[in-house]
Amino acid sequence: MPPKLVLASTSPYRRELLGRLQMPFEAVAPETDETALPGESPVATAQRLAEAKARAVAGRFPDALIIGSDQVAYVAGGSQRFGKPGTRENAIVQLRSMSGKAVVFHTGLCLLNAATGRTHIRGIPTEVRFRELSDAEIHRYVDKEDALNCAGSARSEGLGIALLEYLRGDDPNALVGLPLIALAEMLRAEGVELP
């Protein structure tokens, strides 16, 4: 019998993505502080938090394969980061800041085998270029789409796609928050049978 699969996330987007693999799983909330460490790069933050989320629930599921994922958005070549806006006003500020810029959405992924302690950790970047956005476009967008719990305030799988010039990356699912190509590879490495 394959080990239990646990998603250490309350994100409805990650749950929907993991469901595409057609495997039973349980989603649980990890209790983790998502604050970046002083001087920590966005890439390191995403990967550290992905592992921290998986480890946060390992004690409750000692025989499970546990998936942790985290995403950090930042201006390409810069230091400005974008988290979940939380409020309409913050979303407007974020979208103004990203207008006309390339933004990297770096998704950290961890698969932890709680029984053996073995971890697989990867980072999957997706570069997104936002169009030059007018204030009217930004306001229309935030009025129509609830993206307050999405890093960078834009849901590419929804209306947010209209804000973009392009997106580049190895896995379109990474931008939504769970890189399924890398996850499938990790699961196979732990003996899970996938097509």
Side-chain angles (χ1 to χ4, degrees):
M1 182 166 188
K4 181 178 185 74
L5 191 60
V6 175
L7 176 63
S9 176
T10 57
S11 164
Y13 313 114
R14 289 189 177 111
R15 281 196 310 268
E16 187 274 326
L17 287 171
L18 185 54
R20 293 180 188 179
L21 295 183
Q22 300 182 18
M23 300 170 54
F25 68 93
E26 183 173 345
V28 296
E31 300 299 324
T32 53
D33 178 357
E34 296 189 21
T35 307
L37 300 175
E40 187 176 46
S41 73
V43 170
T45 300
Q47 292 174 210
R48 177 182 58 82
L49 291 177
E51 182 178 7
K53 288 176 180 182
R55 292 194 181 283
V57 302
R60 291 186 272 166
F61 302 96
D63 296 320
L65 293 175
I66 303 170
I67 302 161
S69 186
D70 192 78
Q71 188 175 77
V72 178
Y74 60 95
V75 173
S79 61
Q80 187 177 14
R81 295 182 189 209
F82 304 99
K84 297 173 185 174
T87 67
R88 182 180 191 282
E89 294 74 26
N90 289 343
I92 290 167
V93 169
Q94 283 189 349
L95 291 167
R96 282 179 182 150
S97 295
M98 294 184 295
S99 176
K101 295 180 182 161
V103 177
V104 176
F105 289 78
H106 190 89
T107 305
L109 176 66
C110 175
L111 180 67
L112 167 65
N113 184 328
T116 66
R118 182 172 152 171
T119 59
H120 306 263
I121 301 171
R122 295 259 307 269
I124 296 87
T126 305
E127 183 178 304
V128 172
R129 183 163 189 86
F130 284 80
R131 294 184 302 100
E132 290 286 346
L133 304 171
S134 69
D135 272 357
E137 289 173 315
I138 290 170
H139 284 270
R140 279 195 304 271
Y141 174 71
V142 297
D143 288 343
K144 289 182 177 183
E145 179 139 81
D146 179 12
L148 301 184
N149 63 347
C150 298
S153 306
R155 291 184 56 217
S156 66
E157 69 278 21
L159 183 59
I161 198 74
L163 305 176
L164 309 180
E165 284 183 12
Y166 66 76
L167 42 93
R168 297 180 180 141
D170 293 335
D171 185 341
N173 303 298
L175 185 56
V176 182
L178 190 63
L180 293 181
I181 294 171
L183 178 58
E185 180 182 312
M186 292 174 177
L187 289 168
R188 284 191 296 270
E190 287 298 324
V192 175
E193 292 182 355
L194 291 167

